[in-house]
C-alpha cells in the first residue's frame, strides 16, 4: 500500500545536483511538490536518497531465469533485484529457438502490461558465432528482418531492445526495422570492424551491449567496434561494473569518452544474482557459479554476472571514485531515457513514480521504495 510521507534530512540527489538536508515528499505513490499538513516525516539524516535503479539488461536473479522460469519464478527474480534497489527492470532473454522465444515474449509481455517489468530484451539469437559468449552456437542465426519482426510482434509492443551483430547478413536492414518500430537496436556479441559499426550507428543503432565484452579489443591499426561506439554521441554504452567484466581503467576510459549522460550501468545478471554459488542453466547451457563469478561449464566463458545494481553503485563511488551524481545518471536517468519511460522514473521529480533508494554513509541499501510502497523499510531494515 502506497504511503504518504516526507523523507527529511538526507542528502538528496536531484537532476540539478545534490541537496544537503533535503526533503522528498511522497503522496499516493508519486513524488509531490507539496503535502497536506500533518503528513508523517521520516528522519533520514546521515543517509542518501537517490532515484530507484533502472536495469535495462537483466536475465534473472534469486535462482530464477527470465528466459525459462515460470511467471511466479520471474516475479521472484524481479523482487530479488528490487530488494537491491532496482525498482525498474527489463527482462532479457538469452538465445533460444525462435518459436520458444516467441512464446516467452508473449508470456512476459503480460507482466510488462501489468507493470511488473519494463519490457523485453532479446539478446540473441542474431549474434556472431565468433563472439557468442554464453550463447548456444547451434541456435544462432543471421538477423533476417522478417524474423526480427516476428519476435517484436510476439512481444505485443513490449519489446524494448534487440542485441544484434550488425555485420551479419540482414543486420543493417534489421537495425532500420527496429528503429522504425521504436525498439532499441543494440550492437553486441559482434565481430564488426570499425567501419561496419559506423554503418550500423548511421542506420539507427543507439546502444552498445556490455561494451568491451563479446567484441574485438581496441587496436591501434584495427580499432574495431569499441572506438566507433566510444566516439559517437548517438551511442549509450552499457557497462557491467562488477570488478570481473571490466578493469577499472576500461570503465574510466568509457566515462571519459562518453560522459556521464551516455553510460548505462547494467547487471547482465543471471539466476545466481542474490542467490549464491552453484550449478545453473543459462538457456540451454550449463553454468557454474564459483566465488560469485558465473562461467560456462564447457569452455569457461563468463556467463553473465551475479551482480545487483546496489553493488555496482557502491563500487562506482567507493572504488572507481566517480561522482555520485554521475553514478545516479548512469544507473537511473540514462536507462530510463533510453527505454522511453523517463517521464515516469529515473529521477526524483514531482509527478514521477515514488521510486527511490535510501543508502547509508557507506552506500549500502537501507531502504527501497517503489511507487510509494516500501519494499525495504528503512525503519526496520
Amino acid at each position: 500500500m502506497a504511503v504518504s510521507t516526507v523523507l527529511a534530512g538526507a542528502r538528496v540527489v536531484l537532476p540539478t545536483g545534490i541537496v544537503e538536508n533535503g526533503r522528498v515528499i511522497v503522496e499516493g505513490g508519486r513524488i509531490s511538490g507539496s503535502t497536506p499538513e500533518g503528513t508523517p516525516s521520516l528522519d533520514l539524516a546521515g543517509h542518501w536518497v537517490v532515484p530507484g535503479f533502472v536495469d535495462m539488461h537483466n536475465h534473472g536473479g534469486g535462482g530464477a531465469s527470465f528466459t525459462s522460469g515460470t511467471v511466479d519464478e520471474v516475479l521472484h527474480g524481479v523482487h530479488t533485484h528490487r530488494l537491491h534497489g532496482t525498482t525498474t527492470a527489463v527482462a532479457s532473454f538469452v538465445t533460444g529457438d525462435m518459436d520458444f522465444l516467441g512464446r516467452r515474449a508473449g508470456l512476459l509481455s503480460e507482466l510488462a502490461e501489468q507493470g511488473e517489468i519494463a519490457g523485453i530484451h532479446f539478446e540473441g539469437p542474431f549474434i556472431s558465432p565468433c563472439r557468442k559468449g554464453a550463447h548456444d552456437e547451434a541456435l544462432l542465426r543471421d538477423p533476417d528482418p522478417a524474423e526480427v519482426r516476428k519476435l517484436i510482434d510476439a512481444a505485443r509492443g513490449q519489446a524494448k531492445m534487440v542485441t544484434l551483430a550488425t555485420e551479419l547478413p540482414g543486420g543493417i536492414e534489421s537495425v532500420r526495422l527496429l528503429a522504425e518500430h521504436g525498439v532499441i537496436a543494440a550492437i553486441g556479441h559482434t565481430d564488426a570492424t570499425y567501419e561496419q559499426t559506423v554503418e550500423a550507428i548511421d542506420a539507427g543503432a543507439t546502444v552498445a551491449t556490455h561494451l568491451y565484452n563479446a567484441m574485438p579489443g581496441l587496436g591501434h591499426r584495427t580499432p574495431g567496434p569499441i572506438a566507433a561506439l566510444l566516439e559517437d554521441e548517438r551511442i549509450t554504452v552499457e557497462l557491467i561494473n562488477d570488478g570481473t567484466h571490466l578493469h577499472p581503467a576500461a570503465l574510466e576510459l568509457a566515462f571519459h569518452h562518453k560522459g556521464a549522460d551516455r553510460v548505462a550501468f547494467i547487471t547482465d545478471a543471471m539466476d545466481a544474482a542474490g542467490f549464491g554459488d552453484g550449478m545453473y542453466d543459462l538457456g540451454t547451457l550449463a553454468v557454474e557459479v564459483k566465488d560469485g563469478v558465473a562461467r560456462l561449464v564447457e569452455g569457461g566463458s563468463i556467463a553473465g554476472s551475479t551482480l545487483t545494481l546496489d553493488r555496482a553503485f557502491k563500487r562506482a563511488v567507493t572504488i572507481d571514485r566517480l561522482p555520485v551524481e554521475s553514478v545516479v545518471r548512469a544507473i537511473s536517468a540514462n536507462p530510463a531515457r533510453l527505454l522511453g519511460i523517463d517521464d515516469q522514473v529515473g529521477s526524483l521529480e514531482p509527478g514521477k513514480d515514488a521510486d527511490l533508494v535510501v543508502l547509508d554513509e557507506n552506500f549500502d541499501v537501507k531502504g527501497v521504495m517503489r511507487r510509494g510502497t516500501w519494499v525495504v523499510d528503512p525503519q526496520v531494515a
Side-chain angles (χ1 to χ4, degrees):
M1 180 177 174
V3 298
S4 297
T5 190
V6 177
L7 311 181
R11 288 179 170 179
V12 179
V13 183
L14 302 177
T16 52
I18 297 171
V19 177
E20 301 284 347
N21 193 26
R23 288 159 52 89
V24 178
I25 300 167
V26 176
E27 182 74 26
R30 295 189 181 275
I31 298 170
S32 174
S34 61
T35 187
E37 233 179 279
T39 298
S41 179
L42 177 61
D43 183 6
L44 292 175
H47 291 73
W48 294 82
V49 175
V50 300
F53 309 146
V54 180
D55 193 354
M56 59 188 285
H57 186 158
N58 185 326
H59 296 279
S65 165
F66 296 157
T67 300
S68 58
T70 65
V71 168
D72 285 345
E73 287 169 343
V74 170
L75 290 173
H76 174 72
V78 169
H79 181 70
T80 296
H81 284 280
R82 285 180 188 165
L83 296 174
H84 293 274
T86 298
T87 51
T88 302
V90 170
S92 299
F93 296 158
V94 294
T95 292
D97 174 85
M98 285 290 292
D99 289 339
F100 171 78
L101 290 174
R103 291 194 300 272
R104 290 298 296 178
L107 180 68
L108 264 64
S109 65
E110 295 182 18
L111 294 182
E113 290 160 2
Q114 295 163 14
E116 296 293 344
I117 59 174
I120 296 164
H121 164 216
F122 297 97
E123 187 182 18
F126 311 115
I127 61 176
S128 172
C130 302
R131 304 287 174 176
K132 63 182 184 297
H135 291 255
D136 187 343
E137 185 170 352
L139 296 174
L140 301 184
R141 54 212 298 135
D142 291 339
D144 179 343
E147 292 199 322
V148 174
R149 177 66 188 268
K150 280 182 185 177
L151 286 188
I152 62 175
D153 284 349
R156 302 202 310 248
Q158 300 301 329
K160 291 293 185 178
M161 183 162 65
V162 178
T163 294
L164 305 158
T166 53
E167 76 278 7
L168 295 175
I172 297 301
E173 294 82 3
S174 293
V175 168
R176 294 194 181 104
L177 170 76
L178 292 167
E180 288 168 5
H181 285 80
V183 179
I184 297 167
I187 300 172
H189 288 275
T190 176
D191 204 40
T193 64
Y194 173 88
E195 291 76 15
Q196 288 170 328
T197 306
V198 169
E199 184 183 8
I201 297 169
D202 287 341
T206 55
V207 166
T209 293
H210 43 54
L211 185 73
Y212 302 114
N213 296 109
M215 60 182 65
L218 183 64
H220 65 292
R221 291 194 183 92
T222 53
I226 293 173
L229 295 166
L230 283 176
E231 72 183 7
D232 198 301
E233 64 182 11
R234 293 170 291 181
I235 291 289
T236 298
V237 298
E238 295 181 344
L239 297 176
I240 308 170
N241 193 25
D242 62 352
T244 298
H245 282 79
L246 295 177
H247 189 283
L251 181 137
E252 183 180 359
L253 180 69
F255 265 90
H256 175 76
H257 280 274
K258 300 306 296 186
D261 289 331
R262 288 291 179 266
V263 172
F265 281 140
I266 61 163
T267 61
D268 194 17
M270 46 79 73
D271 314 16
F275 199 66
D277 289 357
M279 299 298 296
Y280 296 87
D281 292 324
L282 186 62
T284 60
L285 304 178
V287 174
E288 181 179 12
V289 178
K290 186 176 181 180
D291 298 326
V293 177
R295 293 186 180 275
L296 290 183
V297 171
E298 186 175 338
S301 292
I302 293 177
S305 85
T306 62
L307 186 64
T308 50
L309 280 181
D310 58 333
R311 286 170 44 212
F313 191 112
K314 181 172 181 173
R315 180 180 177 86
V317 175
T318 62
I319 295 177
D320 302 312
R321 301 296 179 185
L322 293 171
V324 172
E325 307 98 302
S326 296
V327 178
V328 165
R329 288 203 286 276
I331 215 164
S332 299
N334 298 345
R337 182 191 70 246
L338 286 164
L339 295 170
I341 54 175
D342 53 330
D343 60 333
Q344 306 165 52
V345 298
S347 60
L348 301 177
E349 297 178 89
K352 293 191 178 184
D353 291 347
D355 289 2
L356 55 87
V357 182
V358 179
L359 303 169
D360 66 15
E361 60 184 5
N362 297 315
F363 298 98
D364 291 319
V365 170
K366 293 300 175 185
V368 180
M369 177 181 283
R370 183 174 187 269
R371 298 180 181 174
T373 298
W374 289 113
V375 179
V376 178
D377 191 335
Q379 298 174 89
V380 298

